[in-house]
Amino acid sequence: MYPSLIKLLEALGVNKREQLYAYAVTQLGNSLSGVKAPIELGCVEAFCNVVNGFAGATVFDMVHTAEIRKALDRSIRFQKLSDGEPMKRGDIIVSVTGEGKAGTRGHIGIYDGKSFMSNNSKTGKWDNHIPLGLWIGRYLIEYRMPLHRYRIVF
């Protein structure tokens, strides 16, 4: 992330979750996938690029939802949200390919308070095109995928 912006946000007492959210918003409209994975499968690549850009270093470098879920589970920078804990801006959601109905693809996104910012498979751009209700309806109910939710802690 921009070093001066990080210092300003920290001086104002803004936590890492809100900082990640703010950085993800600055990436809206940018093409963040298509190098390691095809654009239509680029959600993990785009997410990694957002997190790495925010951190100013490579934190994650992968393209599969199962890999990113395992990496988030192992990372000391992220904590898994407990069942029933409400999501807040800057939280991460992952629905993993292979954990639900056969033949369905998972997805990953960063919550903006109403919807999720992620790679748009149709445009290849980072945008906030999936409202919370649509994510739940598609991935949890229709595809029968568990929702793995995380929060950045430092």
Side-chain angles (χ1 to χ4, degrees):
M1 193 161 149
Y2 312 101
S4 58
L5 181 56
I6 288 176
K7 288 180 183 177
L8 174 62
L9 292 173
E10 287 176 350
L12 294 171
V14 177
N15 64 42
K16 290 291 184 190
R17 177 183 48 76
E18 285 286 342
Q19 291 177 36
L20 175 60
Y21 160 77
Y23 183 76
V25 168
T26 70
Q27 299 305 299
L28 289 171
N30 291 341
S31 178
L32 303 174
S33 65
V35 174
K36 295 182 178 194
I39 290 171
E40 64 275 9
L41 300 174
C43 63
V44 174
E45 180 182 5
F47 171 80
C48 290
N49 285 328
V50 169
V51 171
N52 296 344
F54 168 69
T58 300
V59 177
F60 300 120
D61 184 22
M62 52 203 61
V63 295
H64 300 290
T65 54
E67 292 175 322
I68 195 68
R69 179 192 163 219
K70 288 177 188 172
L72 287 164
D73 282 342
R74 289 190 307 262
S75 176
I76 61 171
R77 293 179 185 222
F78 297 87
Q79 92 181 39
K80 193 160 188 166
L81 296 179
S82 60
D83 289 341
E85 188 171 357
M87 292 193 74
K88 297 180 180 178
R89 289 188 328 184
D91 285 344
I92 298 152
I93 191 167
V94 187
S95 295
V96 179
T97 301
E99 288 188 355
K101 194 169 149 182
T104 57
R105 290 187 193 149
H107 205 51
I108 186 168
I110 297 175
Y111 191 52
D112 73 2
K114 295 179 186 170
S115 59
F116 292 93
M117 295 178 277
S118 65
N119 180 67
N120 186 322
S121 298
K122 294 177 183 171
T123 66
K125 307 279 186 196
W126 181 257
D127 69 19
N128 51 350
H129 64 286
I130 305 178
L132 176 60
L134 179 61
W135 193 295
I136 291 169
R138 177 179 295 156
Y139 295 101
L140 180 64
I141 297 170
E142 182 182 348
Y143 294 174
R144 298 190 300 261
M145 292 178 175
L147 305 179
H148 304 281
R149 302 168 316 123
Y150 302 87
R151 180 168 293 152
I152 190 169
V153 289
F154 72 92

